[in-house]
Amino acid sequence: MTEFTAARPHVCVDDTRSRERGFARGTQLRTDLPASVELYLRLFDAVGVSENRTRDSAHRLADVLGAWGPRYLEEIEGIAAGAGLEPWHVMALNGRTEILSQATATRPGECSTIAYAPADRASAPFGIQTWDWHQELDPYWHTHQVHGTRHAYVGLTEHGILGKIGMNSAGLGVFFNILGHRDDAPAGVPMHILSAAVLSEAGTVGEALDLLHSAPIATSGALTLIDPDTVACAEVSPVGVATLHPTDGYLTHTNHFLDPVNAAREKAGLYEPDSQDRYGLITSRQERYPAPAVADHLVEYLYSDPGQPQLCCVPAPDAPFGQRWATLSTVLLEPEHRRARILGGTPIDARRRSWTTLDAAATPFT
């Protein structure tokens, strides 16, 4: 059974044609998408990236995307047409990680991910992630259900962005953490497009890794991949793709590099020491807590109280625009059930709020 929050849009897309898929998405988001663009332009400007520079970066990213995956560019152009926006506006949203890589400001909060693969293989892997982002952008994300690609997929994403965190009909799930490398630049396939491409085209962790290796990448992130048999994390950077595997069943990632080659050129100070502190708190719990038997057992691994590393991120009341970090959502992925469960809020909010359950294998709504 699927529960939808009335105040949160749920976008349904079903078309084998890329541009028409985008047009349907843009039409459904037409009321709020322009406001999301304006807020992002304001955010870019607040961190020192002007509108002209944003436009230039968006055009550069579109050129790269057109050469690597023209269908994704067609879908972005369709979103723009459906929402009454210029294509570069929507390209800037999909490339927001790459555009923000040009900023130098410290980011005091970001995402935490845990994937777990039971050692006895008695059950399939599962995982959890918090999505931390700017509190002002909370009105501009939605759940979605996408059909018409090689694999249908469900999950959450921001308005105008093709994909972020989700599960596909083959049972492949993707979690998404941003990282910072000294060589990051808006010159490769955007991270959010890579996530959407994995969800729409890859059926296994192995296929996902092959797809990521095929892409020209110029910014950094960690895509934690889970299917009914396998857990792996693709740590991508301008250096390349490094593959990480579970330790004692757990594969945990926050916002610093774990691969030593990538870590050698970490963008110092961007997420430090917050990311390392969150990672340390999670791994200490993995050593002390009983092994989780089901995905719900991972929720308490991401609890945090005042004075602890902010696994549950709450902005300071006096924090200025651009520094008001909040946990906007918590997501559970269960490949065995082809299911994503999404909560608006922190893991602690799960005590009093219900999850939205999305079935990637469900038939289209249309």
Side-chain angles (χ1 to χ4, degrees), residues 19 25 36 54 87 186 205 287 293 319 329 336 342 353 361:
R19 192 180 188 282
R25 183 185 293 273
S36 179
T54 295
V205 168
E287 294 168 358
S329 183
E336 183 176 16
I342 299 166
R353 297 182 187 175

Side-chain angles (χ1 to χ4, degrees), residues 195-220:
S195 182
V198 166
L199 287 168
S200 63
E201 300 300 327
T204 64
V205 168
E207 288 183 5
L209 291 171
D210 289 342
L211 185 152
L212 294 171
H213 278 285
S214 77
I217 295 170
T219 45
S220 304

Side-chain angles (χ1 to χ4, degrees), residues 216-240:
I217 295 170
T219 45
S220 304
L223 297 181
T224 299
L225 309 163
I226 59 174
D227 68 24
D229 302 304
T230 308
V231 171
C233 178
E235 233 185 42
V236 305
S237 79
V239 173

Side-chain angles (χ1 to χ4, degrees), residues 62 112 166 233 293 313 341:
S112 303
C233 178
C313 195
R341 286 190 280 155

Side-chain angles (χ1 to χ4, degrees), residues 1 9 37 39 63 97-98 137 166 171 181 184 196 222 237 239 271 287:
M1 181 177 180
V37 170
L39 192 55
D63 289 342
T97 299
E98 289 63 37
L137 285 159
H181 194 275
D184 285 343
S237 79
V239 173
Y271 299 110
E287 294 168 358

Side-chain angles (χ1 to χ4, degrees), residues 95-130:
R96 57 93 155 161
T97 299
E98 289 63 37
I99 293 169
L100 288 169
S101 74
Q102 301 169 90
T104 57
T106 299
R107 302 182 191 181
E110 261 284 1
C111 310
S112 303
T113 296
I114 308 169
Y116 182 71
D120 58 6
R121 293 182 174 267
S123 61
F126 46 80
I128 188 170
Q129 171 176 358
T130 54

Side-chain angles (χ1 to χ4, degrees), residues 36-366:
S36 179
V37 170
E38 289 299 320
L39 192 55
Y40 260 110
L41 291 176
R42 183 183 164 205
L43 176 63
F44 297 152
D45 187 67
V47 299
V49 183
S50 68
E51 184 169 331
N52 285 339
R53 193 175 174 192
T54 295
R55 184 186 298 107
D56 290 344
S57 295
H59 286 310
R60 190 180 316 124
L61 292 168
D63 289 342
V64 174
L65 185 58
W68 179 75
R71 60 188 177 276
Y72 303 110
L73 185 58
E74 291 171 6
E75 196 162 350
I76 286 169
E77 291 170 345
I79 293 171
L85 295 166
E86 294 184 48
W88 77 265
H89 286 143
V90 183
M91 189 69 243
L93 295 178
N94 282 269
R96 57 93 155 161
T97 299
E98 289 63 37
I99 293 169
L100 288 169
S101 74
Q102 301 169 90
T104 57
T106 299
R107 302 182 191 181
E110 261 284 1
C111 310
S112 303
T113 296
I114 308 169
Y116 182 71
D120 58 6
R121 293 182 174 267
S123 61
F126 46 80
I128 188 170
Q129 171 176 358
T130 54
W131 173 43
D132 299 342
W133 197 229
H134 300 276
Q135 185 183 50
E136 294 87 350
L137 285 159
D138 186 47
Y140 303 112
W141 66 271
H142 60 275
T143 57
H144 62 166
Q145 181 175 2
V146 179
H147 288 260
T149 51
R150 180 188 177 202
H151 301 292
Y153 64 95
V154 298
L156 72 78
T157 191
E158 297 175 71
H159 288 8
I161 297 180
L162 297 183
K164 185 187 291 290
I165 306 162
M167 172 66 61
N168 74 18
S169 54
L172 177 68
V174 180
F175 294 113
F176 189 101
N177 294 67
I178 296 302
L179 307 173
H181 194 275
R182 295 181 205 170
D183 300 323
D184 285 343
V189 177
M191 290 295 305
H192 284 84
I193 299 296
L194 290 174
S195 182
V198 166
L199 287 168
S200 63
E201 300 300 327
T204 64
V205 168
E207 288 183 5
L209 291 171
D210 289 342
L211 185 152
L212 294 171
H213 278 285
S214 77
I217 295 170
T219 45
S220 304
L223 297 181
T224 299
L225 309 163
I226 59 174
D227 68 24
D229 302 304
T230 308
V231 171
C233 178
E235 233 185 42
V236 305
S237 79
V239 173
V241 180
T243 304
L244 309 176
H245 300 283
T247 300
D248 296 327
Y250 294 99
L251 184 49
T252 297
H253 220 298
T254 51
N255 302 101
H256 61 283
F257 286 108
L258 301 179
D259 172 72
V261 175
N262 280 325
R265 289 190 60 77
E266 184 106 41
K267 189 178 288 185
L270 188 61
Y271 299 110
E272 298 171 334
D274 174 78
S275 178
Q276 288 84 353
D277 291 344
R278 283 182 284 121
Y279 184 84
L281 179 58
I282 294 168
T283 55
S284 72
R285 288 172 174 172
Q286 290 165 356
E287 294 168 358
R288 294 181 287 112
Y289 289 8
V294 294
D296 300 78
H297 292 168
L298 290 176
V299 175
E300 64 184 273
Y301 286 60
L302 295 181
Y303 288 170
S304 64
D305 294 316
Q308 291 183 314
Q310 289 197 56
L311 299 171
C312 298
C313 195
V314 178
D318 58 347
F321 176 73
Q323 295 293 315
R324 297 186 55 79
W325 296 86
T327 298
L328 302 187
S329 183
T330 305
V331 184
L332 291 170
L333 298 182
E334 299 164 285
E336 183 176 16
H337 305 295
R338 310 300 195 261
R339 183 168 69 192
R341 286 190 280 155
I342 299 166
L343 181 80
T346 74
I348 291 176
D349 291 324
R351 298 169 178 169
R352 57 186 178 84
R353 297 182 187 175
S354 59
W355 298 81
T356 293
T357 301
L358 300 174
D359 181 357
T363 56
F365 285 4
T366 54

